[in-house]
Amino acid sequence: MFNQPGYLTAKRMMDATALRHEAIASNLANLETPGYKRIDLAPAFQSELQQAVKSREPQNLTGLRPSLSIDPNAVAANRDGNTVQMETELAHLAENTMAHQLETQLVSGSLLKLRLAITGRG
């Protein structure tokens, strides 16, 4: 079960949302730091995840690790060079929270099926 592509995909997505949550927290903590550049998940992770899912090979999913990078699309709104905007970060935080809740339900559902198979009780 722990090598099934569906479980591994949900697990990797949970890893990515947890890491993105750290990035958002860092961005909010540095909201007023001059010169701070907004960070987010590296854009390559989404395409790497899609390729790994298409391959249906568990080793491609297990080797996949999300990482953070500076957001090249973020633009400074002030002269201080800081590229973080609170409203945008709060929207990303709400979106990321919903994604994490969904992924948690997917993984929990898989674990409940395993417990049902072992114990015969839900």
Side-chain angles (χ1 to χ4, degrees):
M1 179 192 130
F2 297 111
N3 273 343
Q4 296 296 316
Y7 176 81
L8 290 172
T9 301
K11 175 87 173 64
R12 288 297 162 252
M13 291 173 63
M14 282 181 64
D15 293 344
T17 53
L19 187 61
R20 189 168 196 223
H21 194 83
E22 290 178 23
I24 293 168
S26 178
N27 291 337
L28 288 171
N30 288 287
L31 189 63
E32 296 184 9
T33 303
Y36 179 81
K37 304 296 181 202
R38 181 182 188 277
I39 57 173
D40 203 351
L41 277 181
F45 177 75
Q46 187 73 21
S47 61
E48 290 171 359
L49 180 63
Q50 288 175 347
Q51 289 175 350
V53 169
K54 284 181 185 174
S55 74
R56 296 186 172 262
E57 296 293 329
Q59 66 270 16
N60 291 344
L61 286 165
T62 56
L64 191 60
R65 297 282 180 262
S67 62
L68 298 176
S69 66
I70 293 175
D71 183 356
N73 298 320
V75 178
N78 298 323
R79 288 184 183 187
D80 67 359
N82 187 314
T83 60
V84 177
Q85 296 178 359
M86 186 169 66
E87 295 82 12
T88 304
E89 293 305 317
L90 293 177
H92 287 307
L93 182 63
E95 174 187 314
N96 200 54
T97 300
M98 289 191 308
H100 191 267
Q101 288 172 344
L102 176 63
E103 294 153 3
T104 301
Q105 288 176 352
L106 290 171
V107 171
S108 296
S110 296
L111 295 175
L112 286 174
K113 287 178 188 174
L114 179 62
R115 184 166 73 182
L116 178 63
I118 293 171
T119 64
R121 296 178 294 177

